[in-house]
């Protein structure tokens, strides 16, 4: 496909002969064979790329006005909001963009879980994805510290203090991170530096993610292997380019709704109070997208244990391709997994709800059960299901499940005749 | 080749590699160490406080190394309460006399040993300090009694310069 490509213009040909960049882009974006039955859950890859680019562009221009110093940061953000031309818009796009980025990435991950996209031969795509998710978490957390409001400051305090749970060297590590004996200016400046760097690392991983994806090709809702270039595939352009664009427009409606009508809905009012190292807010909560992990952290009465469990909750995802012992990918053909995966999604949402509540009484007990279930899903349910579940018969092609019985018969007769 | 011989080439290969590794490691150190507390931060490492304005039952909070330090002039009731506690009941057993040089004055870093929030004074189940973040209760000696914090509130190094002045750090 890409080998046959020749640019139409003379300049294009001249360039392409010396550096076949156009070949590369063409091969991956235009005739790239894609399963013909991808549903709208598959459009989030494109949406996420859009989110990343939006964050990089808005972040770049915000950095032109922001000052990463503990005495000036809060005022510089207010300066962006009040004085800088369209500063309010750029900041609201960046802040809400982070939330929508996570919304999209959770849907993208849920799709992979439901349709078994992480399974052989796509394990590495999934693992690269887990690393992207980790970098997103770090980037979002550091970004939230930059406005230097009360939630920024105390969020940074609580999270950097997690490192003090490390035995023996904990205190030296936290002092090293802080560049002092408490959260302050040195930490803010280095967080800004890293917050600026990480999106570019994410971008590099996204290239690897897509590259690894284009080796076996996309998974699909049936979860069966599709022969590239067969009747089961269509070229990426125009079919999925148009579908992705439409989904993106719908996504942008939601995005614009947040930015223009409820720009502070997902934020916390305490972050409009400047950081005060002498006063902790009554109730510290992280941004909504961290709440499930925060609930896991708080469900353990032991400091080190809580930290280990929270880190494990993300790290365990990387082992998912081997924890799930079933060979059948799509939940469509796995009657038991189909129920358990919904239960898992519900449990994560429950954990998110609990993360926003105070950790005592009944909430704490439910939090512990939900945490235990989160891990049980990965280390008990998934390995066992592969052995005990009776899966439904898989279709031979993508067309088979959507054909009427008559059409199916005709097709069988035709293939019988040709054979 | 029946037996592996160590040649001159092997030797040069290993020594070159070892020197390169040692060189890279020593060059990496400045890049790591630059993040540690710098000279200007360390220079602010001690603070002197005049205790005269504080009456019994009153606390002040001072900043030391960017952290809040609680200085409380305890009432006799609080001192008695702190002294009569059975050490076996404590998650992190410490005598009150080891925590306060002068029983009337309790000086401690006002940072919860769980995840670094600032506890609220004269609150909680033990009439001492209570951390609103994750619910740790400290007693009138700043010792952890209930909740997720692993240790008692930290006592900084301090000396009484005279009857009414202390130096922290």
């Amino acid at each position: 496909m890409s080998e046959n490509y020749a640019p139409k213009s003379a300049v294009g040909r001249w360039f392409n002969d010396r550096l076949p960049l156009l070949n590369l882009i063409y091969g991956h974006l235009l005739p790239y064979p894609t399963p013909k039955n991808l549903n709208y859950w598959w459009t989030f890859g494109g949406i996420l790329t859009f989110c990343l680019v939006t964050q990089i562009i808005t972040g770049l221009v915000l950095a032109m006005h922001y000052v990463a110093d503990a005495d000036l940061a809060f005022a510089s953000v207010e300066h962006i909001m009040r004085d800088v031309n369209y500063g309010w818009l750029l900041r609201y796009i960046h802040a809400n963009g982070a939330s929508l980025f996570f919304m999209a990435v959770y849907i993208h991950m849920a799709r992979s879980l439901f349709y078994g996209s992480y399974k052989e031969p796509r394990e590495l795509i999934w693992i690269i994805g887990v690393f992207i998710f980790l970098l997103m978490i770090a980037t979002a957390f550091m970004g939230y510290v930059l406005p230097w409001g009360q939630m920024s400051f105390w969020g940074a305090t609580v999270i950097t203090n997690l490192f003090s749970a490390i035995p023996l060297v904990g205190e030296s590590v936290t002092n090293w991170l802080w560049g002092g004996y408490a959260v302050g200016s040195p930490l803010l400046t280095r967080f800004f530096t890293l917050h600026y760097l990480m999106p570019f690392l994410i971008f590099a991983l996204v290239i690897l993610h897509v590259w690894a994806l284009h080796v076996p090709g996309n998974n699909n809702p049936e979860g069966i292997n599709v022969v590239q270039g067969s009747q089961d595939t269509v070229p990426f352009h125009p079919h999925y380019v148009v579908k992705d664009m439409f989904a993106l427009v719908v996504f942008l409606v939601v995005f614009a709704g947040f930015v223009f009508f409820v720009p502070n809905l997902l934020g916390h009012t305490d972050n409009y109070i400047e950081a005060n190292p002498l006063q902790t807010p009554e109730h510290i909560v992280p941004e909504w997208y961290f709440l499930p992990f925060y609930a896991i952290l708080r469900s353990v009465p032991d400091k080190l244990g809580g930290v280990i469990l929270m880190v494990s909750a993300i790290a365990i995802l990387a082992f998912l391709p081997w924890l799930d012992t079933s060979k059948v990918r799509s939940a469509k053909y796995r009657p038991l997994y189909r129920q358990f995966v919904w239960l898992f999604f519900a449990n994560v949402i429950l954990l998110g709800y609990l993360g926003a509540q105070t950790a005592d009484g009944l909430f704490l007990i439910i939090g512990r059960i939900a945490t235990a279930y989160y891990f049980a899903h990965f280390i008990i349910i998934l390995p066992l299901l592969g052995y005990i579940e009776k899966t439904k018969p898989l279709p031979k092609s993508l067309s088979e499940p959507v054909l009427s019985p008559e059409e199916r018969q005709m097709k069988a007769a035709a293939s019988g005749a040709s054979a | 080749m029946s037996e592996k011989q160590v040649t001159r080439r092997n030797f040069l290969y290993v020594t070159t590699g070892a020197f390169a590794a040692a060189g890279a490691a020593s060059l990496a150190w400045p890049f790591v160490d630059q993040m540690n507390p710098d000279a200007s931060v360390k220079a602010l490492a001690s603070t002197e406080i005049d205790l005269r304005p504080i009456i019994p039952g009153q606390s002040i909070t001072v900043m030391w190394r960017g952290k809040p330090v609680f200085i409380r002039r305890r009432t006799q009731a609080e001192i008695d309460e702190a002294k009569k506690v059975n050490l076996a009941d404590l998650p992190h057993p410490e005598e009150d006399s080891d925590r306060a040089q002068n029983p009337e004055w309790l000086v401690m870093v006002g940072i919860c040993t769980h995840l670094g929030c600032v506890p609220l004074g004269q609150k909680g189940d033990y009439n001492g300090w209570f951390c609103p973040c994750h619910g740790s209760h400290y007693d009138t000696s700043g010792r952890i009694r209930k909740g997720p914090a692993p240790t008692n509130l930290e006592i900084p190094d301090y000396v009484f310069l005279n009857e009414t002045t202390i130096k922290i750090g």
Side-chain angles (χ1 to χ4, degrees), chain B residues 67-86:
Chain B
K67 301 181 198 185
V69 171
F70 296 154
I71 301 176
R72 179 160 180 83
R73 188 167 184 179
R74 295 191 290 184
T75 60
Q76 195 56 44
E78 287 174 339
I79 299 169
D80 294 343
E81 203 180 326
K83 293 225 183 270
K84 73 167 194 250
V85 171
N86 181 3

Side-chain angles (χ1 to χ4, degrees), chain A residues 154 157-158 161-162 164 172 175-182 186 190 277-282 284 294 297-298 301 303, chain B residues 32-38 41-42 61-63 65-68 113-120 132-134 147-148 150:
Chain A
W154 291 100
T157 300
V158 168
N161 261 301
L162 294 179
S164 70
S172 325
N175 285 345
W176 175 72
L177 281 174
W178 291 335
Y181 305 103
R190 61 191 62 167
L278 292 179
Q279 197 195 357
T280 306
E282 277 288 296
I284 299 182
Y294 192 59
L297 168 77
R298 295 193 308 178
K303 179 167 156 181
Chain B
V32 174
D33 193 40
Q34 55 83 21
M35 277 174 68
N36 271 317
D38 63 29
V41 171
K42 285 181 180 158
T61 305
V62 295
M63 286 297 267
R65 291 175 156 189
K67 301 181 198 185
T113 54
H114 182 227
L115 293 174
C117 300
V118 179
L120 305 169
C133 293
H134 306 97

